[in-house]
Amino acid sequence: MKKLTILFVCGAGLGSSFAAQMAAEDVLTQKGVEAKLEHTDISSAVSMNPDIIITAQNFQTQFEKFSIDEEKTAIIYLKNIVSKAEIDEKITPVLQAKGAI
């Protein structure tokens, strides 16, 4: 099984992306999914080609300016970046589509 790369993105690549990473880690562990988790800022994220980008809803307009190949990189927008329930609900179909679960 391929190990997915999941990138958590916020404006500065520090606080909120790290908080989201911690929350998602718990969700992934419960599902038995092993993934490489990293956090960064928006401009760096575009060149990294991860399998999944997880970011806050308020960054959606910024991401839409970039040409990210959504066949390769799924982008998940969260209203509450530390909500495990929301992360679980939104990441599950993506993990299934990518063959991770």
Side-chain angles (χ1 to χ4, degrees), residues 17-95:
S17 57
F18 188 63
Q21 181 178 330
M22 298 280 103
E25 212 159 5
D26 289 347
V27 173
L28 293 167
T29 301
Q30 284 168 351
K31 294 187 177 308
V33 174
E34 244 188 82
K36 184 172 177 224
L37 308 182
E38 297 178 355
H39 56 277
T40 190
D41 61 283
I42 293 177
S43 51
S44 306
V46 180
S47 61
M48 291 172 77
N49 294 322
D51 295 295
I52 303 172
I53 289 176
I54 296 181
T55 190
Q57 190 81 58
N58 56 318
F59 293 125
Q60 187 163 353
T61 49
Q62 282 169 272
F63 272 101
E64 283 166 354
K65 289 178 195 148
F66 298 115
S67 54
I68 292 174
D69 179 0
E70 294 202 38
E71 285 293 301
K72 187 186 181 317
T73 301
I75 305 180
I76 297 174
Y77 296 104
L78 301 174
K79 288 185 205 62
N80 175 353
I81 57 158
V82 292
S83 163
K84 291 178 191 174
E86 186 183 3
I87 290 169
D88 192 353
E89 174 197 324
K90 290 183 174 174
I91 204 169
T92 300
V94 175
L95 292 171

